[in-house]
Amino acid sequence: MPNVKTAIVTGSTSGIGLAIAEALAADGCNIVVNSFSDTPQDHAIAKQIAEKHKIETAYIKADMSKPDECRALIAKSAERFGSVDILVNNAGIQHVAPVEEFPIGKWDAIIAINLSSAFHTIAAAIPLMKANGGGRIVNIASAHGLVTSPFKSAYVAAKHGILGLTKTVALEVARDRITCNAVCPGYVLTPLVEAQIPDQMKTHKMDRETVIREIMLAKQPTKEFVTVEQVAAATLYLCSPAAAQINGTHISIDGGWTAE
Ligand code: NAD
């Protein structure tokens, strides 16, 4: 791999993705910041990361619900920086509803963004990583990739799916100095989780504080939210030389949730 690595983090204008982009930049990687929009704010985020960490960044718009844009993100990143060394599939959305009322469009969008996008980016990145002599792929899954909760059928299906994809890819590239792993966070207080609170309040007929304590952190034995920095640190570790023999597995960061 080249001295200065290039890392692509999908969905990195907010929450966990932004923290991962920051951590990889602090480690000296050039960063491709991505989201589906193309606003001055998106470009400003990339510029701030570059200035803060004295590395190069590019904001590349790509809608992860669209296969062609997923693949184009990888091609444009390689064109801009000359290589793709680290791919973090992080973009994700959520919708909470009973399965019989689950909107078909929401199901399709969640499967596309939370699962199929990783198939497309991985397929496009692997030839570049092989040509470069190695690479790292980290898929941001979830505790919901291992266990389930009611009313999250699409999200849980996508997150279980991405762990299967992670293990399959890991075996396929094991001889190419490429590793493919997942990180499974419990509840991290990000805009995605914040946005679930009103739906959960409606579904469970509870106030905000009760939803946080009884529904969200009910499953997290530590009763504390995971931080974005903790997820970023695990991702950085999986991209480090120390993790060269970690392949086809996941790191849970869920305060003990999935130990039950
Ligand atoms: P977030 O809403 O803060 O950030 C999501 C990011 O994805 C944003 O940058 C958004 O612009 C981007 N995005 C959304 N749709 C996109 C699309 N179509 N194309 C490109 N980018 C798109 O969410 P977050 O909480 O930081 O979640 C990030 C990942 O972590 C998701 O995969 C999520 O499932 C996973 N995760 C989150 C939690 C949690 O508690 N927050 C727990 C476990 C796993």
Side-chain angles (χ1 to χ4, degrees), residues 10-18 34-37 42 62-66 89-94 113-114 140-144 155 159 183-193 196 225 228 231 257:
T10 70
S12 44
T13 54
S14 160
I16 293 170
L18 179 56
N34 156 262
S35 186
F36 59 92
S37 50
D42 294 326
D63 183 342
M64 291 293 108
S65 70
K66 302 198 163 83
N89 288 304
N90 167 79
I93 59 167
Q94 173 64 286
I113 297 167
N114 297 19
I140 306 305
S142 167
H144 280 124
Y155 188 85
K159 294 299 185 181
V183 176
C184 294
Y187 275 107
V188 191
L189 193 56
T190 64
L192 182 140
V193 168
Q196 287 175 53
F225 278 111
V228 292
V231 181
W257 171 355

mmCIF file of all heavy atoms in Angstrom, residues 10-18 34-37 42 62-66 89-94 113-114 140-144 155 159 183-193 196 225 228 231 257, ligand 1:
data_model
loop_
_atom_site.group_PDB
_atom_site.id
_atom_site.type_symbol
_atom_site.label_atom_id
_atom_site.label_comp_id
_atom_site.label_asym_id
_atom_site.label_seq_id
_atom_site.Cartn_x
_atom_site.Cartn_y
_atom_site.Cartn_z
ATOM 1 N N THR A 10 -18.211 6.246 3.366
ATOM 2 C CA THR A 10 -19.527 6.615 2.833
ATOM 3 C C THR A 10 -20.373 7.213 3.953
ATOM 4 O O THR A 10 -20.240 6.837 5.122
ATOM 5 C CB THR A 10 -20.250 5.397 2.192
ATOM 6 O OG1 THR A 10 -20.636 4.474 3.210
ATOM 7 C CG2 THR A 10 -19.353 4.707 1.167
ATOM 8 N N GLY A 11 -21.217 8.165 3.596
ATOM 9 C CA GLY A 11 -22.084 8.812 4.595
ATOM 10 C C GLY A 11 -21.288 9.476 5.695
ATOM 11 O O GLY A 11 -21.500 9.231 6.876
ATOM 12 N N SER A 12 -20.346 10.337 5.297
ATOM 13 C CA SER A 12 -19.410 10.864 6.317
ATOM 14 C C SER A 12 -19.581 12.353 6.598
ATOM 15 O O SER A 12 -18.666 12.991 7.088
ATOM 16 C CB SER A 12 -17.968 10.547 5.910
ATOM 17 O OG SER A 12 -17.744 10.810 4.549
ATOM 18 N N THR A 13 -20.778 12.877 6.345
ATOM 19 C CA THR A 13 -21.006 14.285 6.690
ATOM 20 C C THR A 13 -21.624 14.431 8.074
ATOM 21 O O THR A 13 -21.903 15.544 8.511
ATOM 22 C CB THR A 13 -21.946 14.943 5.655
ATOM 23 O OG1 THR A 13 -23.145 14.162 5.564
ATOM 24 C CG2 THR A 13 -21.285 15.059 4.292
ATOM 25 N N SER A 14 -21.838 13.315 8.762
ATOM 26 C CA SER A 14 -22.578 13.375 10.027
ATOM 27 C C SER A 14 -22.231 12.158 10.877
ATOM 28 O O SER A 14 -21.718 11.161 10.376
ATOM 29 C CB SER A 14 -24.080 13.373 9.664
ATOM 30 O OG SER A 14 -24.885 12.984 10.731
ATOM 31 N N GLY A 15 -22.490 12.267 12.166
ATOM 32 C CA GLY A 15 -22.486 11.120 13.073
ATOM 33 C C GLY A 15 -21.229 10.265 13.047
ATOM 34 O O GLY A 15 -20.092 10.767 13.088
ATOM 35 N N ILE A 16 -21.438 8.969 12.952
ATOM 36 C CA ILE A 16 -20.346 7.989 13.035
ATOM 37 C C ILE A 16 -19.378 8.153 11.862
ATOM 38 O O ILE A 16 -18.154 8.110 12.040
ATOM 39 C CB ILE A 16 -20.935 6.555 13.076
ATOM 40 C CG1 ILE A 16 -21.694 6.335 14.395
ATOM 41 C CG2 ILE A 16 -19.846 5.510 12.895
ATOM 42 C CD1 ILE A 16 -22.521 5.057 14.441
ATOM 43 N N GLY A 17 -19.906 8.339 10.668
ATOM 44 C CA GLY A 17 -19.056 8.475 9.480
ATOM 45 C C GLY A 17 -18.113 9.654 9.577
ATOM 46 O O GLY A 17 -16.928 9.557 9.219
ATOM 47 N N LEU A 18 -18.628 10.769 10.081
ATOM 48 C CA LEU A 18 -17.790 11.959 10.236
ATOM 49 C C LEU A 18 -16.675 11.691 11.258
ATOM 50 O O LEU A 18 -15.513 12.063 11.027
ATOM 51 C CB LEU A 18 -18.663 13.147 10.673
ATOM 52 C CG LEU A 18 -17.967 14.477 10.902
ATOM 53 C CD1 LEU A 18 -17.180 14.931 9.679
ATOM 54 C CD2 LEU A 18 -19.001 15.553 11.294
ATOM 55 N N ASN A 34 -18.210 11.645 1.800
ATOM 56 C CA ASN A 34 -19.336 11.366 0.888
ATOM 57 C C ASN A 34 -20.685 11.552 1.565
ATOM 58 O O ASN A 34 -20.845 11.313 2.753
ATOM 59 C CB ASN A 34 -19.222 9.910 0.380
ATOM 60 C CG ASN A 34 -20.563 9.350 -0.065
ATOM 61 O OD1 ASN A 34 -21.224 8.631 0.682
ATOM 62 N ND2 ASN A 34 -20.989 9.696 -1.241
ATOM 63 N N SER A 35 -21.629 11.991 0.769
ATOM 64 C CA SER A 35 -23.049 11.911 1.109
ATOM 65 C C SER A 35 -23.827 12.005 -0.197
ATOM 66 O O SER A 35 -23.225 12.009 -1.274
ATOM 67 C CB SER A 35 -23.445 13.008 2.082
ATOM 68 O OG SER A 35 -24.801 12.794 2.472
ATOM 69 N N PHE A 36 -25.163 12.043 -0.080
ATOM 70 C CA PHE A 36 -25.982 12.072 -1.302
ATOM 71 C C PHE A 36 -26.280 13.479 -1.792
ATOM 72 O O PHE A 36 -26.805 13.656 -2.886
ATOM 73 C CB PHE A 36 -27.301 11.315 -1.067
ATOM 74 C CG PHE A 36 -28.117 11.903 0.067
ATOM 75 C CD1 PHE A 36 -29.074 12.873 -0.192
ATOM 76 C CD2 PHE A 36 -27.901 11.494 1.367
ATOM 77 C CE1 PHE A 36 -29.811 13.426 0.848
ATOM 78 C CE2 PHE A 36 -28.624 12.041 2.408
ATOM 79 C CZ PHE A 36 -29.580 13.014 2.147
ATOM 80 N N SER A 37 -25.952 14.477 -0.975
ATOM 81 C CA SER A 37 -26.251 15.858 -1.366
ATOM 82 C C SER A 37 -24.972 16.503 -1.906
ATOM 83 O O SER A 37 -23.911 15.872 -1.935
ATOM 84 C CB SER A 37 -26.782 16.634 -0.161
ATOM 85 O OG SER A 37 -25.926 16.472 0.950
ATOM 86 N N ASP A 42 -21.456 20.470 2.704
ATOM 87 C CA ASP A 42 -20.773 19.181 2.474
ATOM 88 C C ASP A 42 -19.297 19.420 2.143
ATOM 89 O O ASP A 42 -18.407 18.765 2.699
ATOM 90 C CB ASP A 42 -21.416 18.423 1.307
ATOM 91 C CG ASP A 42 -22.847 17.977 1.605
ATOM 92 O OD1 ASP A 42 -23.133 17.655 2.759
ATOM 93 O OD2 ASP A 42 -23.658 17.965 0.660
ATOM 94 N N ALA A 62 -22.363 11.034 -3.907
ATOM 95 C CA ALA A 62 -22.838 9.785 -4.510
ATOM 96 C C ALA A 62 -23.993 9.292 -3.653
ATOM 97 O O ALA A 62 -23.864 9.199 -2.431
ATOM 98 C CB ALA A 62 -21.725 8.733 -4.548
ATOM 99 N N ASP A 63 -25.091 9.003 -4.296
ATOM 100 C CA ASP A 63 -26.265 8.498 -3.572
ATOM 101 C C ASP A 63 -26.114 6.984 -3.438
ATOM 102 O O ASP A 63 -26.145 6.255 -4.436
ATOM 103 C CB ASP A 63 -27.527 8.870 -4.356
ATOM 104 C CG ASP A 63 -28.799 8.438 -3.627
ATOM 105 O OD1 ASP A 63 -28.727 7.580 -2.726
ATOM 106 O OD2 ASP A 63 -29.875 8.966 -3.984
ATOM 107 N N MET A 64 -25.953 6.541 -2.213
ATOM 108 C CA MET A 64 -25.675 5.119 -1.961
ATOM 109 C C MET A 64 -26.885 4.222 -2.215
ATOM 110 O O MET A 64 -26.783 3.005 -2.079
ATOM 111 C CB MET A 64 -25.162 4.930 -0.522
ATOM 112 C CG MET A 64 -23.789 5.496 -0.255
ATOM 113 S SD MET A 64 -22.486 4.620 -1.166
ATOM 114 C CE MET A 64 -22.067 5.832 -2.365
ATOM 115 N N SER A 65 -28.016 4.815 -2.568
ATOM 116 C CA SER A 65 -29.162 3.979 -2.958
ATOM 117 C C SER A 65 -29.076 3.615 -4.445
ATOM 118 O O SER A 65 -29.897 2.849 -4.937
ATOM 119 C CB SER A 65 -30.485 4.704 -2.666
ATOM 120 O OG SER A 65 -30.661 5.798 -3.535
ATOM 121 N N LYS A 66 -28.080 4.201 -5.134
ATOM 122 C CA LYS A 66 -27.981 3.985 -6.587
ATOM 123 C C LYS A 66 -26.694 3.220 -6.935
ATOM 124 O O LYS A 66 -25.587 3.746 -6.754
ATOM 125 C CB LYS A 66 -28.005 5.334 -7.308
ATOM 126 C CG LYS A 66 -29.274 6.139 -6.984
ATOM 127 C CD LYS A 66 -29.503 7.228 -8.010
ATOM 128 C CE LYS A 66 -30.917 7.750 -7.949
ATOM 129 N NZ LYS A 66 -31.123 8.775 -6.919
ATOM 130 N N ASN A 89 -17.742 1.338 4.701
ATOM 131 C CA ASN A 89 -19.151 1.413 4.300
ATOM 132 C C ASN A 89 -19.981 1.763 5.516
ATOM 133 O O ASN A 89 -20.260 0.919 6.374
ATOM 134 C CB ASN A 89 -19.589 0.064 3.701
ATOM 135 C CG ASN A 89 -18.985 -0.169 2.350
ATOM 136 O OD1 ASN A 89 -19.148 0.636 1.439
ATOM 137 N ND2 ASN A 89 -18.245 -1.262 2.211
ATOM 138 N N ASN A 90 -20.349 3.032 5.589
ATOM 139 C CA ASN A 90 -21.010 3.537 6.787
ATOM 140 C C ASN A 90 -22.413 4.081 6.538
ATOM 141 O O ASN A 90 -23.234 4.069 7.434
ATOM 142 C CB ASN A 90 -20.130 4.642 7.396
ATOM 143 C CG ASN A 90 -20.874 5.438 8.447
ATOM 144 O OD1 ASN A 90 -21.018 4.985 9.582
ATOM 145 N ND2 ASN A 90 -21.376 6.621 8.070
ATOM 146 N N ALA A 91 -22.686 4.564 5.316
ATOM 147 C CA ALA A 91 -23.973 5.234 5.060
ATOM 148 C C ALA A 91 -25.126 4.332 5.491
ATOM 149 O O ALA A 91 -25.116 3.123 5.235
ATOM 150 C CB ALA A 91 -24.113 5.581 3.579
ATOM 151 N N GLY A 92 -26.084 4.914 6.158
ATOM 152 C CA GLY A 92 -27.209 4.098 6.597
ATOM 153 C C GLY A 92 -28.390 4.956 6.994
ATOM 154 O O GLY A 92 -28.224 6.104 7.394
ATOM 155 N N ILE A 93 -29.591 4.380 6.815
ATOM 156 C CA ILE A 93 -30.810 5.050 7.255
ATOM 157 C C ILE A 93 -31.633 4.058 8.072
ATOM 158 O O ILE A 93 -31.329 2.859 8.093
ATOM 159 C CB ILE A 93 -31.649 5.592 6.074
ATOM 160 C CG1 ILE A 93 -32.043 4.460 5.114
ATOM 161 C CG2 ILE A 93 -30.880 6.698 5.344
ATOM 162 C CD1 ILE A 93 -33.124 4.856 4.107
ATOM 163 N N GLN A 94 -32.687 4.561 8.693
ATOM 164 C CA GLN A 94 -33.509 3.718 9.562
ATOM 165 C C GLN A 94 -34.965 4.071 9.346
ATOM 166 O O GLN A 94 -35.286 5.215 8.976
ATOM 167 C CB GLN A 94 -33.100 3.991 11.032
ATOM 168 C CG GLN A 94 -33.924 3.348 12.108
ATOM 169 C CD GLN A 94 -33.865 1.826 12.098
ATOM 170 O OE1 GLN A 94 -34.460 1.163 11.249
ATOM 171 N NE2 GLN A 94 -33.164 1.261 13.063
ATOM 172 N N ILE A 113 -29.419 1.188 0.672
ATOM 173 C CA ILE A 113 -28.384 2.045 1.279
ATOM 174 C C ILE A 113 -27.568 1.281 2.328
ATOM 175 O O ILE A 113 -26.345 1.416 2.384
ATOM 176 C CB ILE A 113 -29.036 3.313 1.898
ATOM 177 C CG1 ILE A 113 -29.706 4.147 0.793
ATOM 178 C CG2 ILE A 113 -28.012 4.147 2.671
ATOM 179 C CD1 ILE A 113 -30.631 5.245 1.303
ATOM 180 N N ASN A 114 -28.238 0.480 3.152
ATOM 181 C CA ASN A 114 -27.539 -0.165 4.276
ATOM 182 C C ASN A 114 -26.858 -1.476 3.887
ATOM 183 O O ASN A 114 -26.021 -1.970 4.631
ATOM 184 C CB ASN A 114 -28.517 -0.462 5.422
ATOM 185 C CG ASN A 114 -29.132 0.791 6.040
ATOM 186 O OD1 ASN A 114 -29.130 1.857 5.433
ATOM 187 N ND2 ASN A 114 -29.660 0.675 7.226
ATOM 188 N N ILE A 140 -19.777 -0.782 8.641
ATOM 189 C CA ILE A 140 -20.414 -0.390 9.896
ATOM 190 C C ILE A 140 -21.774 -1.076 9.953
ATOM 191 O O ILE A 140 -22.735 -0.656 9.298
ATOM 192 C CB ILE A 140 -20.519 1.151 10.041
ATOM 193 C CG1 ILE A 140 -19.135 1.810 9.857
ATOM 194 C CG2 ILE A 140 -21.110 1.507 11.398
ATOM 195 C CD1 ILE A 140 -18.012 1.298 10.774
ATOM 196 N N ALA A 141 -21.814 -2.163 10.699
ATOM 197 C CA ALA A 141 -23.061 -2.929 10.853
ATOM 198 C C ALA A 141 -23.785 -2.375 12.075
ATOM 199 O O ALA A 141 -23.986 -1.159 12.195
ATOM 200 C CB ALA A 141 -22.742 -4.410 10.968
ATOM 201 N N SER A 142 -24.113 -3.237 13.031
ATOM 202 C CA SER A 142 -24.883 -2.794 14.201
ATOM 203 C C SER A 142 -25.059 -3.987 15.120
ATOM 204 O O SER A 142 -24.951 -5.138 14.675
ATOM 205 C CB SER A 142 -26.261 -2.311 13.727
ATOM 206 O OG SER A 142 -27.157 -2.153 14.803
ATOM 207 N N ALA A 143 -25.404 -3.718 16.375
ATOM 208 C CA ALA A 143 -25.857 -4.816 17.246
ATOM 209 C C ALA A 143 -27.043 -5.504 16.567
ATOM 210 O O ALA A 143 -27.255 -6.714 16.732
ATOM 211 C CB ALA A 143 -26.265 -4.269 18.611
ATOM 212 N N HIS A 144 -27.786 -4.733 15.764
ATOM 213 C CA HIS A 144 -28.909 -5.301 15.025
ATOM 214 C C HIS A 144 -28.464 -6.160 13.840
ATOM 215 O O HIS A 144 -29.297 -6.656 13.079
ATOM 216 C CB HIS A 144 -29.860 -4.183 14.584
ATOM 217 C CG HIS A 144 -30.774 -3.743 15.687
ATOM 218 N ND1 HIS A 144 -30.867 -2.443 16.112
ATOM 219 C CD2 HIS A 144 -31.602 -4.456 16.491
ATOM 220 C CE1 HIS A 144 -31.735 -2.369 17.118
ATOM 221 N NE2 HIS A 144 -32.183 -3.569 17.365
ATOM 222 N N TYR A 155 -34.092 -2.780 8.609
ATOM 223 C CA TYR A 155 -32.769 -2.445 9.164
ATOM 224 C C TYR A 155 -32.064 -3.714 9.656
ATOM 225 O O TYR A 155 -30.875 -3.947 9.362
ATOM 226 C CB TYR A 155 -32.948 -1.444 10.307
ATOM 227 C CG TYR A 155 -31.682 -0.858 10.870
ATOM 228 C CD1 TYR A 155 -31.084 0.253 10.272
ATOM 229 C CD2 TYR A 155 -31.074 -1.389 12.007
ATOM 230 C CE1 TYR A 155 -29.925 0.810 10.798
ATOM 231 C CE2 TYR A 155 -29.913 -0.841 12.534
ATOM 232 C CZ TYR A 155 -29.353 0.265 11.928
ATOM 233 O OH TYR A 155 -28.196 0.810 12.446
ATOM 234 N N LYS A 159 -28.681 -5.312 8.201
ATOM 235 C CA LYS A 159 -27.486 -5.421 9.053
ATOM 236 C C LYS A 159 -27.056 -6.885 9.222
ATOM 237 O O LYS A 159 -25.856 -7.178 9.279
ATOM 238 C CB LYS A 159 -27.726 -4.747 10.404
ATOM 239 C CG LYS A 159 -27.921 -3.222 10.318
ATOM 240 C CD LYS A 159 -26.693 -2.511 9.729
ATOM 241 C CE LYS A 159 -26.840 -0.995 9.757
ATOM 242 N NZ LYS A 159 -25.675 -0.302 9.180
ATOM 243 N N VAL A 183 -17.954 -3.530 12.220
ATOM 244 C CA VAL A 183 -18.078 -2.986 13.576
ATOM 245 C C VAL A 183 -19.569 -2.969 13.894
ATOM 246 O O VAL A 183 -20.383 -2.566 13.055
ATOM 247 C CB VAL A 183 -17.474 -1.560 13.656
ATOM 248 C CG1 VAL A 183 -17.706 -0.968 15.037
ATOM 249 C CG2 VAL A 183 -15.983 -1.585 13.336
ATOM 250 N N CYS A 184 -19.914 -3.444 15.078
ATOM 251 C CA CYS A 184 -21.329 -3.545 15.462
ATOM 252 C C CYS A 184 -21.619 -2.672 16.680
ATOM 253 O O CYS A 184 -21.556 -3.146 17.827
ATOM 254 C CB CYS A 184 -21.690 -4.999 15.768
ATOM 255 S SG CYS A 184 -21.594 -6.081 14.336
ATOM 256 N N PRO A 185 -21.941 -1.397 16.452
ATOM 257 C CA PRO A 185 -22.247 -0.541 17.602
ATOM 258 C C PRO A 185 -23.640 -0.816 18.164
ATOM 259 O O PRO A 185 -24.544 -1.206 17.433
ATOM 260 C CB PRO A 185 -22.196 0.883 17.015
ATOM 261 C CG PRO A 185 -21.671 0.749 15.618
ATOM 262 C CD PRO A 185 -21.957 -0.651 15.185
ATOM 263 N N GLY A 186 -23.780 -0.588 19.458
ATOM 264 C CA GLY A 186 -25.112 -0.516 20.073
ATOM 265 C C GLY A 186 -25.653 0.871 19.781
ATOM 266 O O GLY A 186 -25.417 1.422 18.707
ATOM 267 N N TYR A 187 -26.358 1.467 20.735
ATOM 268 C CA TYR A 187 -26.933 2.796 20.492
ATOM 269 C C TYR A 187 -25.899 3.899 20.661
ATOM 270 O O TYR A 187 -25.303 4.058 21.718
ATOM 271 C CB TYR A 187 -28.122 3.050 21.424
ATOM 272 C CG TYR A 187 -29.391 2.479 20.860
ATOM 273 C CD1 TYR A 187 -29.963 1.330 21.403
ATOM 274 C CD2 TYR A 187 -30.011 3.059 19.756
ATOM 275 C CE1 TYR A 187 -31.131 0.785 20.864
ATOM 276 C CE2 TYR A 187 -31.166 2.520 19.219
ATOM 277 C CZ TYR A 187 -31.719 1.400 19.781
ATOM 278 O OH TYR A 187 -32.861 0.862 19.237
ATOM 279 N N VAL A 188 -25.706 4.618 19.566
ATOM 280 C CA VAL A 188 -24.798 5.763 19.541
ATOM 281 C C VAL A 188 -25.695 6.988 19.358
ATOM 282 O O VAL A 188 -26.569 6.969 18.481
ATOM 283 C CB VAL A 188 -23.820 5.670 18.348
ATOM 284 C CG1 VAL A 188 -22.711 6.699 18.464
ATOM 285 C CG2 VAL A 188 -23.253 4.265 18.201
ATOM 286 N N LEU A 189 -25.503 8.010 20.166
ATOM 287 C CA LEU A 189 -26.384 9.174 20.034
ATOM 288 C C LEU A 189 -25.918 10.050 18.872
ATOM 289 O O LEU A 189 -25.040 10.889 19.009
ATOM 290 C CB LEU A 189 -26.443 9.973 21.337
ATOM 291 C CG LEU A 189 -27.576 11.007 21.393
ATOM 292 C CD1 LEU A 189 -28.940 10.374 21.151
ATOM 293 C CD2 LEU A 189 -27.574 11.751 22.711
ATOM 294 N N THR A 190 -26.525 9.793 17.697
ATOM 295 C CA THR A 190 -26.221 10.540 16.471
ATOM 296 C C THR A 190 -27.552 11.053 15.919
ATOM 297 O O THR A 190 -28.616 10.661 16.414
ATOM 298 C CB THR A 190 -25.582 9.621 15.414
ATOM 299 O OG1 THR A 190 -26.564 8.645 15.058
ATOM 300 C CG2 THR A 190 -24.320 8.956 15.902
ATOM 301 N N PRO A 191 -27.511 11.866 14.853
ATOM 302 C CA PRO A 191 -28.778 12.312 14.259
ATOM 303 C C PRO A 191 -29.699 11.152 13.871
ATOM 304 O O PRO A 191 -30.920 11.272 13.960
ATOM 305 C CB PRO A 191 -28.315 13.096 13.023
ATOM 306 C CG PRO A 191 -26.966 13.617 13.411
ATOM 307 C CD PRO A 191 -26.350 12.532 14.248
ATOM 308 N N LEU A 192 -29.106 10.002 13.455
ATOM 309 C CA LEU A 192 -29.938 8.851 13.075
ATOM 310 C C LEU A 192 -30.764 8.352 14.266
ATOM 311 O O LEU A 192 -31.947 8.061 14.149
ATOM 312 C CB LEU A 192 -29.053 7.728 12.526
ATOM 313 C CG LEU A 192 -29.748 6.452 12.026
ATOM 314 C CD1 LEU A 192 -29.079 5.943 10.749
ATOM 315 C CD2 LEU A 192 -29.731 5.356 13.065
ATOM 316 N N VAL A 193 -30.136 8.274 15.421
ATOM 317 C CA VAL A 193 -30.843 7.804 16.625
ATOM 318 C C VAL A 193 -31.823 8.877 17.098
ATOM 319 O O VAL A 193 -32.966 8.575 17.467
ATOM 320 C CB VAL A 193 -29.826 7.436 17.725
ATOM 321 C CG1 VAL A 193 -30.503 7.240 19.061
ATOM 322 C CG2 VAL A 193 -29.088 6.169 17.322
ATOM 323 N N GLN A 196 -35.021 8.702 15.441
ATOM 324 C CA GLN A 196 -35.890 7.562 15.756
ATOM 325 C C GLN A 196 -36.772 7.826 16.964
ATOM 326 O O GLN A 196 -37.768 7.140 17.178
ATOM 327 C CB GLN A 196 -35.048 6.341 16.113
ATOM 328 C CG GLN A 196 -34.350 5.683 14.966
ATOM 329 C CD GLN A 196 -33.466 4.562 15.472
ATOM 330 O OE1 GLN A 196 -33.910 3.678 16.192
ATOM 331 N NE2 GLN A 196 -32.211 4.604 15.103
ATOM 332 N N PHE A 225 -24.935 5.586 26.249
ATOM 333 C CA PHE A 225 -24.789 5.560 24.801
ATOM 334 C C PHE A 225 -23.321 5.301 24.452
ATOM 335 O O PHE A 225 -22.412 5.722 25.180
ATOM 336 C CB PHE A 225 -25.198 6.903 24.183
ATOM 337 C CG PHE A 225 -26.689 7.059 23.989
ATOM 338 C CD1 PHE A 225 -27.419 7.960 24.744
ATOM 339 C CD2 PHE A 225 -27.367 6.315 23.029
ATOM 340 C CE1 PHE A 225 -28.786 8.119 24.555
ATOM 341 C CE2 PHE A 225 -28.731 6.455 22.831
ATOM 342 C CZ PHE A 225 -29.448 7.363 23.604
ATOM 343 N N VAL A 228 -19.409 8.286 19.227
ATOM 344 C CA VAL A 228 -18.910 8.152 17.839
ATOM 345 C C VAL A 228 -17.396 7.941 17.837
ATOM 346 O O VAL A 228 -16.860 7.233 16.976
ATOM 347 C CB VAL A 228 -19.290 9.377 16.964
ATOM 348 C CG1 VAL A 228 -20.795 9.429 16.737
ATOM 349 C CG2 VAL A 228 -18.790 10.694 17.518
ATOM 350 N N VAL A 231 -16.549 4.249 18.213
ATOM 351 C CA VAL A 231 -16.732 3.491 16.960
ATOM 352 C C VAL A 231 -15.587 3.807 15.992
ATOM 353 O O VAL A 231 -15.048 2.910 15.326
ATOM 354 C CB VAL A 231 -18.104 3.820 16.321
ATOM 355 C CG1 VAL A 231 -18.289 3.020 15.033
ATOM 356 C CG2 VAL A 231 -19.242 3.517 17.295
ATOM 357 N N TRP A 257 -24.687 -5.473 25.300
ATOM 358 C CA TRP A 257 -26.029 -5.795 24.774
ATOM 359 C C TRP A 257 -26.101 -7.218 24.218
ATOM 360 O O TRP A 257 -26.965 -8.016 24.597
ATOM 361 C CB TRP A 257 -26.382 -4.740 23.741
ATOM 362 C CG TRP A 257 -27.608 -4.924 22.892
ATOM 363 C CD1 TRP A 257 -28.456 -5.999 22.837
ATOM 364 C CD2 TRP A 257 -28.117 -3.960 21.960
ATOM 365 N NE1 TRP A 257 -29.451 -5.767 21.926
ATOM 366 C CE2 TRP A 257 -29.280 -4.534 21.378
ATOM 367 C CE3 TRP A 257 -27.722 -2.688 21.566
ATOM 368 C CZ2 TRP A 257 -30.032 -3.861 20.420
ATOM 369 C CZ3 TRP A 257 -28.471 -2.031 20.602
ATOM 370 C CH2 TRP A 257 -29.618 -2.609 20.050
HETATM 371 P P1 NAD B 1 -26.349 9.732 10.615
HETATM 372 O O1 NAD B 1 -27.770 9.916 10.130
HETATM 373 O O2 NAD B 1 -25.800 10.668 11.619
HETATM 374 O O3 NAD B 1 -25.369 9.703 9.373
HETATM 375 C C1 NAD B 1 -25.684 8.961 8.235
HETATM 376 C C2 NAD B 1 -24.821 9.449 7.108
HETATM 377 O O4 NAD B 1 -25.192 8.721 5.938
HETATM 378 C C3 NAD B 1 -25.024 10.928 6.775
HETATM 379 O O5 NAD B 1 -23.785 11.497 6.397
HETATM 380 C C4 NAD B 1 -25.972 10.885 5.609
HETATM 381 O O6 NAD B 1 -25.872 12.026 4.785
HETATM 382 C C5 NAD B 1 -25.475 9.635 4.914
HETATM 383 N N1 NAD B 1 -26.457 9.078 4.004
HETATM 384 C C6 NAD B 1 -27.750 8.789 4.225
HETATM 385 N N2 NAD B 1 -28.323 8.349 3.098
HETATM 386 C C7 NAD B 1 -27.351 8.328 2.159
HETATM 387 C C8 NAD B 1 -27.324 7.995 0.789
HETATM 388 N N3 NAD B 1 -28.423 7.590 0.148
HETATM 389 N N4 NAD B 1 -26.164 8.108 0.118
HETATM 390 C C9 NAD B 1 -25.029 8.571 0.741
HETATM 391 N N5 NAD B 1 -25.008 8.914 2.036
HETATM 392 C C10 NAD B 1 -26.153 8.796 2.736
HETATM 393 O O7 NAD B 1 -26.279 8.225 11.118
HETATM 394 P P2 NAD B 1 -25.239 7.454 12.088
HETATM 395 O O8 NAD B 1 -25.961 7.162 13.340
HETATM 396 O O9 NAD B 1 -23.938 8.126 12.126
HETATM 397 O O10 NAD B 1 -25.146 6.064 11.298
HETATM 398 C C11 NAD B 1 -24.030 5.710 10.523
HETATM 399 C C12 NAD B 1 -24.013 4.196 10.381
HETATM 400 O O11 NAD B 1 -23.876 3.608 11.665
HETATM 401 C C13 NAD B 1 -25.274 3.607 9.751
HETATM 402 O O12 NAD B 1 -24.933 2.543 8.879
HETATM 403 C C14 NAD B 1 -26.013 3.073 10.943
HETATM 404 O O13 NAD B 1 -26.889 2.025 10.623
HETATM 405 C C15 NAD B 1 -24.862 2.615 11.821
HETATM 406 N N6 NAD B 1 -25.206 2.468 13.239
HETATM 407 C C16 NAD B 1 -25.656 3.539 13.945
HETATM 408 C C17 NAD B 1 -25.976 3.345 15.273
HETATM 409 C C18 NAD B 1 -26.459 4.464 16.136
HETATM 410 O O14 NAD B 1 -26.921 4.195 17.252
HETATM 411 N N7 NAD B 1 -26.376 5.713 15.694
HETATM 412 C C19 NAD B 1 -25.865 2.090 15.866
HETATM 413 C C20 NAD B 1 -25.402 1.031 15.096
HETATM 414 C C21 NAD B 1 -25.084 1.234 13.774
#
